[in-house]
Amino acid sequence: MPSRAGAADDADTEPGPDALTRARPIGGRHEGPPTSSPLPLTGPGPLAPELAASLLPRLPRGVVREARFHFDARPRDFVRIWWRHALIVLLTGGLALPWARAANRRWLLQHTRVGGHALNLDVSVQGLWLRDFLGVSLLAGVVGALAGEAQWAALLAVALACAAVPIWLHLRLTDDLARITWAGRRLAFDGSLPALYRGVGLAFGCAALLAAAGLWLWRHPHPASAVAWGVCLALVLAGLPAWWWRWLAYRQQRLRLGPLALTWRGAPSVFWQLGLRTLAWGGVAAAGVGGALCLAWAVAVMALGWQPAPGVSRWLLVLWWGGSAVAVWPFLVALLQNLAWNHTGCRHLRFRSKLHAGVYVRMRLTHLALVVSSCGVYWPWAVFHAWRARTEAMSVRARVDPEVLAAHWPVAQSGQ
């Protein structure tokens, strides 16, 4: 996908206001030789980070350094640790799953280096337990209400779940972003729960209405139900680009790297383009999976004399939808990563992501085939190689030296 951020590379070396920070100015510019003397980042008012950013020395005009994300781990090391954590999860009956997931992610981050410094994850197990408990409770409540006979209970459960999902998202953002450290310096996430509700609350309200309509159609079948289901699905697909735009705008706009407040400039139009590309790729994937299933059906019936039992067509339909989704999901993940980070930056640095969607899709489909053929044994290798592909596609173009940024960024205190 073409990146709008790439068109602004020359603006890094030109005087004048920075279009990328127009919504949230972080201060002026400072030309001169880099210095390693740290600045005070605390003050009586909220302008201390902006003041620190305005005084942060930048490289001479025309000098831009690109620091690529480098992953220096070996697959067998991660596989050994992954299976060790999996054994602990089995021995604890699944209770250690949040800890194991955080430990695996911490190991991957510790072997990811940017600008000569490694990343890390400083997260509390209590916070992970709270987040996962809330997510499991929401899912169990909705499933239990849908399995019951009372329609009002099912509608109430869906409405409460849609109202509580932003809380779960807020906890996840706090754990996934604000707990990551670089060179011992913690990233900051300035989001709040009221701001998240203002950003995505309307989308979840519409989702609750559509879920209620779908539930009513499910409980009250009608000859025109197929048309109504199609209308609901079309509304969901039409609203996804707007929802993703508001979600990424909320997330990216509130990230801060020490004194540098990141900004987001992705326009809604790029999300509609992403949606159209995803739909086109989904059509190709559905046609390919459907053709493969029809060919397998014909070979089984004509060559092997297989007699299909009643209800097999439903399983084929499930395989068709599942296979199409498996082919579409990595394509969407690659496009979203490029879209999210190619439009994120500030006056001092900008992110780049060049994850090739076609290569990533082929790699993930190969991983799926290996996982299925090995009965799940290949899973940790798939996680390792997917992390490497997504990580090493990232880079940072900066007009500030990494050591200077580290000197002006206070070291994180563990447990904060």
Side-chain angles (χ1 to χ4, degrees):
M1 174 179 292
S3 169
R4 289 183 55 193
D9 289 344
D10 296 336
D12 288 334
T13 60
E14 294 296 331
D18 188 1
L20 192 58
T21 57
R22 193 173 299 160
R24 293 176 64 205
I26 61 172
R29 59 186 297 172
H30 176 81
E31 300 292 349
T35 178
S36 298
S37 58
L39 294 174
L41 298 182
T42 58
L47 296 180
E50 285 78 3
L51 178 60
S54 66
L55 299 177
L56 184 65
R58 293 198 291 172
L59 296 172
R61 182 178 302 174
V63 178
V64 179
R65 294 185 178 179
E66 182 173 7
R68 299 192 63 85
F69 285 56
H70 178 62
F71 188 55
D72 58 5
R74 297 179 300 179
R76 64 171 179 265
D77 296 332
F78 176 73
V79 171
R80 183 168 55 250
I81 291 176
W82 190 93
W83 281 112
R84 184 188 309 164
H85 294 163
L87 179 60
I88 295 175
V89 171
L90 291 176
L91 293 177
T92 58
L95 296 178
L97 181 59
W99 168 84
R101 293 175 59 188
N104 290 338
R105 188 162 183 255
R106 182 183 298 111
W107 190 92
L108 293 171
L109 286 171
Q110 288 174 346
H111 289 82
T112 303
R113 307 182 69 85
V114 188
H117 297 283
L119 301 175
N120 204 344
L121 183 66
D122 184 15
V123 64
S124 64
V125 180
Q126 293 83 357
L128 296 176
W129 271 96
L130 176 61
R131 186 190 73 183
D132 290 353
F133 177 77
L134 177 60
V136 172
S137 299
L138 290 175
L139 181 61
V142 172
V143 172
L146 292 177
E149 296 295 333
Q151 183 172 347
W152 65 269
L155 293 174
L156 181 61
V158 170
L160 291 177
C162 291
V165 163
I167 302 177
W168 180 80
L169 291 175
H170 177 72
L171 294 174
R172 181 166 183 175
L173 282 177
T174 303
D175 292 334
D176 291 349
L177 298 177
R179 298 294 180 175
I180 296 178
T181 63
W182 171 79
R185 280 79 176 168
R186 179 174 295 171
L187 279 66
F189 182 72
D190 297 333
S192 63
L193 191 57
L196 180 58
Y197 271 104
R198 289 193 298 268
V200 299
L202 179 60
F204 280 102
C206 295
L209 293 177
L210 289 175
L215 180 62
W216 188 88
L217 292 173
W218 179 36
R219 295 289 179 86
H220 300 82
H222 190 270
S225 295
V227 177
W229 276 109
V231 172
C232 291
L233 180 60
L235 291 175
V236 170
L237 294 177
L240 279 179
W243 186 89
W244 277 112
W245 174 70
R246 298 185 68 87
W247 166 250
L248 286 179
Y250 170 81
R251 189 187 71 178
Q252 305 296 103
Q253 189 82 3
R254 288 163 174 82
L255 287 174
R256 185 161 48 84
L257 309 180
L260 301 182
L262 301 183
T263 53
W264 161 263
R265 65 171 188 175
S269 58
V270 297
F271 285 85
W272 292 106
Q273 297 172 11
L274 180 144
L276 292 176
R277 291 185 62 182
T278 304
L279 283 177
W281 173 251
V284 173
V289 173
L293 289 176
C294 291
L295 180 61
W297 180 287
V299 170
V301 172
M302 299 178 63
L304 303 178
W306 174 63
Q307 296 295 327
V312 173
S313 58
R314 296 182 181 179
W315 287 103
L316 287 177
L317 183 62
V318 171
L319 289 176
W320 181 47
W321 279 95
S324 303
V326 166
V328 170
W329 180 249
F331 180 84
L332 181 60
V333 167
L335 294 186
L336 282 175
Q337 173 173 314
N338 295 337
L339 179 61
W341 292 106
N342 287 336
H343 294 79
T344 301
C346 67
R347 190 175 181 85
H348 296 77
L349 57 86
R350 291 183 174 90
F351 289 88
R352 293 289 182 270
S353 177
K354 299 179 180 179
L355 184 59
H356 194 279
V359 174
Y360 189 69
V361 169
R362 288 195 296 270
M363 183 187 70
R364 296 302 283 168
L365 292 179
T366 303
H367 290 168
L368 177 63
L370 292 173
V371 169
V372 173
S373 60
S374 64
C375 298
V377 175
Y378 190 78
W379 182 266
W381 279 275
V383 173
F384 178 90
H385 291 297
W387 179 276
R388 165 169 282 175
R390 295 184 61 180
T391 299
E392 295 189 342
M394 296 282 298
S395 63
V396 181
R397 292 176 53 86
R399 285 206 58 199
V400 58
D401 190 87
E403 300 302 327
V404 173
L405 177 59
H408 291 74
W409 188 344
V411 178
Q413 299 296 325
S414 181
Q416 287 184 347

